[in-house]
Amino acid sequence: MARVRMTTNPLRAAAVALTVVAAVAAGWGGWSRYDAAHDASAAYAQARDDALAAGEQAVQNMNTLDHAKLADGLDSWEDSTTGDLHRQLVDGRDAFVKQIEEARTVSTAKVLSGAVTELDDRAGKAGVMVALRVTVTAPEGEPAVKESRMLGQLTRTSEGWKLSALGQAPVGNTGG
């Protein structure tokens, strides 16, 4: 009987092993990406981030107004709002224009920080708290700088998240 001698080419064995490892890594990477893209918590986190960004921008818009560019500023207010808040702004616009033109003030707001306080993604409702630094400059005198916290309610519309309510957050000790 003749003996058959099998020799293994080490280069070929290494190439096969690397190919198998690469295929496994590619499969695992593809599955991980698919799983992450379809993860409910990732979608919820994105909705939260979207609501926060829109809320911060809307609150900043609502605290920024220049008497010299009044129409643009009030348009920005209206573009940032929906529901009853939007109707109040539209209905009171003429009276507000008179007040600002007489006062001739410029207010600019800068967001210091913000947080989503509640989020119901299915209902399209969210709450935000935004800390601001607002600078109001009158025609005469030094600019007045004030820091405040605002609470906003957001409603998701076909155009994205918009403010549906806005008010001052309580400050100080609320304990008895």
Side-chain angles (χ1 to χ4, degrees), residues 7-54:
T7 59
T8 309
N9 182 342
L11 194 54
R12 176 183 278 172
V16 169
L18 284 175
T19 301
V20 169
V21 169
V24 169
W28 179 79
W31 174 254
S32 295
R33 184 171 174 91
Y34 174 84
D35 192 40
H38 294 85
D39 183 7
S41 62
Y44 187 80
Q46 184 62 53
R48 183 195 62 229
D49 292 348
D50 292 345
L52 179 58

Side-chain angles (χ1 to χ4, degrees), residues 38-80:
H38 294 85
D39 183 7
S41 62
Y44 187 80
Q46 184 62 53
R48 183 195 62 229
D49 292 348
D50 292 345
L52 179 58
E56 286 178 341
Q57 184 62 59
V59 171
Q60 180 176 321
N61 291 350
M62 294 294 293
N63 285 276
T64 300
L65 193 62
D66 183 342
H67 73 91
K69 302 174 188 166
L70 199 49
D72 291 342
L74 294 176
D75 288 346
S76 175
W77 286 16
E78 291 174 13
D79 290 343
S80 299

Side-chain angles (χ1 to χ4, degrees), residues 63-141:
N63 285 276
T64 300
L65 193 62
D66 183 342
H67 73 91
K69 302 174 188 166
L70 199 49
D72 291 342
L74 294 176
D75 288 346
S76 175
W77 286 16
E78 291 174 13
D79 290 343
S80 299
T81 59
T82 190
D84 289 340
L85 179 58
H86 181 78
R87 281 188 288 284
Q88 290 170 5
L89 293 173
V90 171
D91 292 347
R93 185 171 177 140
D94 292 339
F96 197 72
V97 165
K98 287 180 186 176
Q99 289 176 342
I100 297 301
E101 285 177 340
E102 288 175 13
R104 297 181 41 219
T105 57
V106 176
S107 62
T108 55
K110 178 183 180 200
V111 172
L112 302 175
S113 65
V116 173
T117 58
E118 60 183 301
L119 176 61
D120 185 343
D121 192 34
R122 289 184 181 171
K125 301 288 184 187
V128 293
M129 178 182 275
V130 179
L132 295 168
R133 178 175 296 127
V134 180
T135 304
V136 179
T137 307
E140 296 176 12

